[in-house]
Amino acid sequence: MADTQAEVLILTQDFDPTVDPVVRSLTAKGARVARVDTSYFPRDLSFTTSDFGGEREVMRYRDREVDLSRLSGVWYRRPTAFEFGDEMGEAEQEFARYEGLHGVGGILRGTDCLWMNRPDADSVAELKPYQLKLAKRLGMRVPRTLLTNDPDEVVRLAEQGHRLVYKSLTGGVIHYPGAYPSGLLTTVLGEEIHDNAPRVRHTICQFQEYIEKAYEVRLTVIGNTYFSVTVDSQGDAATQVDWRAETQQMKYGDYRPIPEEVVKRTQSLLDELGIVYAAVDFIVTPEGEYVFLEANPSGQFMWMQNDLDLPMSDCVADLLMQGGPFRRGEVEQVGY
């Protein structure tokens, strides 16, 4: 960019510890950082674009004004919904919300900078069945998968002797009133499927073949930089099916770079999805074959940075300061 000082916009909620180290890195590298939540709109956050008397594209919040035309990068992290005052009725709030989504969304989409990731791309990339179909078409091995809300389909498959797991299509978090959010871990199906099969009718459910593992890989892709982390999930009975079951002490294996063919196919997948950042999960079989599970366009990474001293925050900062639009190119793999 012609400007000597990069300007970066981070859209996220007030409490987001993952963002803090990136802000520090950006500041240390000389960037100007605007960190806001979309919940500030419309009372404490305003957007203005105009071509009366010259072009203007500005965002104002508190005592800060940001020239949107000078942005080098936007990190669409985890912003929350617009908040309207009680002075507006429910019908008026609904109208204002849709107007705001179209207006603010259109203004931000019009910025000519690097996005990590654009929200419209995220919304498509989060569709796990679509990911699996793309990955399969690109030559990756994916688990054989049944998606259905027909109980008979599940019972029929189980009775054929297939060892199956149930895995939620989203984060699997359920918010019960007055309780902490609880998550649904990947679960191996047993005889209980016959008693519980009618519950399948309530929504689309994902059932996949169980694949034997040697270990698992969490691959964090930040632009063209790959951070591959080996997860020794098979060393503990609690994590053999789902390594997320261990929340206190993650067990890591030695660093293993991703094979070149898997890198190429992952690049192609993310290119098709149109995303710059992703947390990609693989199973590695005892025979050494990589099996694609999913790509999370907003997956967490700070726990790996802290545990393994990986320069992920610096990498995010460098990418956001680089400017856009993003170009997929040669991959650099970073070990530990």
Side-chain angles (χ1 to χ4, degrees):
M1 296 183 63
D3 188 5
T4 57
Q5 187 177 34
E7 182 104 34
V8 173
L9 172 62
I10 299 176
L11 298 171
T12 195
Q13 56 197 261
D14 285 337
F15 181 73
D16 188 353
T18 297
V19 165
D20 298 337
V22 176
V23 171
R24 289 194 293 269
S25 181
L26 283 165
T27 303
K29 293 174 183 290
R32 295 184 72 222
V33 184
R35 173 179 173 169
V36 300
D37 188 14
T38 44
S39 66
Y40 304 166
F41 178 85
R43 288 178 288 180
D44 299 312
L45 175 66
S46 70
F47 294 86
T48 299
T49 66
S50 175
D51 55 9
F52 285 95
E55 299 278 350
R56 286 189 301 134
E57 300 178 55
V58 296
M59 179 188 76
R60 298 185 183 93
Y61 73 105
R62 295 170 185 165
D63 59 349
R64 178 81 179 274
E65 180 171 295
V66 176
D67 184 345
L68 298 176
S69 69
R70 294 163 64 93
L71 289 175
S72 62
V74 178
W75 187 9
Y76 187 84
R77 169 66 184 154
R78 292 189 172 182
T80 57
F82 302 151
E83 290 186 4
F84 300 93
D86 294 336
E87 65 272 16
M88 296 177 65
E90 184 177 341
E92 289 80 6
Q93 286 196 31
E94 183 176 0
F95 171 78
R97 183 172 295 107
Y98 279 115
E99 289 291 293
L101 287 171
H102 282 261
V104 174
I107 290 169
L108 290 175
R109 179 64 182 85
T111 56
D112 185 22
C113 65
L114 183 145
W115 276 76
M116 195 183 90
N117 298 309
R118 284 201 339 254
D120 56 319
D122 267 1
S123 63
V124 173
E126 287 177 339
L127 301 174
K128 299 302 192 297
Y130 179 55
Q131 288 183 14
L132 292 173
K133 189 168 186 176
L134 276 180
K136 191 173 182 180
R137 175 166 63 78
L138 292 168
M140 292 183 176
R141 179 182 170 187
V142 301
R144 288 181 294 175
T145 302
L146 168 66
L147 292 159
T148 188
N149 68 322
D150 184 341
D152 292 340
E153 290 279 354
V154 185
V155 171
R156 186 180 305 115
L157 197 60
E159 288 178 345
Q160 291 174 3
H162 296 283
R163 191 180 184 195
L164 301 174
V165 298
Y166 167 79
K167 184 178 181 181
S168 65
L169 289 166
T170 59
V173 177
I174 301 177
H175 296 266
Y176 291 106
Y180 287 107
S182 58
L184 295 174
L185 297 176
T186 302
T187 306
V188 177
L189 301 188
E191 289 299 319
E192 75 280 355
I193 187 57
H194 295 281
D195 295 329
N196 294 324
R199 299 168 65 181
V200 171
R201 180 66 70 187
H202 295 308
T203 190
I204 287 287
C205 299
Q206 176 178 243
F207 301 93
Q208 293 183 318
E209 63 175 323
Y210 180 84
I211 296 175
E212 296 292 339
K213 313 168 187 176
Y215 56 92
E216 295 179 68
V217 169
R218 163 57 68 91
L219 171 64
T220 303
V221 178
I222 304 172
N224 291 311
T225 306
Y226 278 37
F227 295 90
S228 173
V229 171
T230 302
V231 179
D232 181 19
S233 60
Q234 302 309 287
D236 186 330
T239 60
Q240 287 178 354
V241 176
D242 192 330
W243 55 258
R244 295 174 299 173
E246 177 53 68
T247 59
Q248 300 299 320
Q249 184 62 50
M250 179 65 66
K251 294 181 174 61
Y252 301 103
D254 294 336
Y255 169 69
R256 297 177 174 89
I258 300 291
E260 188 59 35
E261 193 57 39
V262 178
V263 169
K264 289 179 180 177
R265 288 171 177 165
T266 301
Q267 286 284 80
S268 296
L269 174 67
L270 300 185
D271 203 35
E272 291 253 14
L273 294 174
I275 55 178
V276 176
Y277 171 90
V280 188
D281 288 322
F282 293 96
I283 286 172
V284 181
T285 69
E287 296 75 32
E289 184 178 15
Y290 277 67
V291 182
F292 171 83
L293 295 179
E294 63 181 76
N296 187 341
S298 59
Q300 302 282 23
F301 63 84
M302 197 53 63
W303 50 279
M304 292 176 291
Q305 171 169 304
N306 293 337
D307 289 350
L308 300 172
D309 196 27
L310 289 166
M312 292 173 159
S313 292
D314 283 340
C315 186
V316 170
D318 288 339
L319 182 63
L320 292 171
M321 293 175 67
Q322 171 185 311
F326 173 71
R327 297 285 185 266
R328 210 167 296 281
E330 185 176 348
V331 167
E332 176 189 3
Q333 298 206 49
V334 178
Y336 55 89

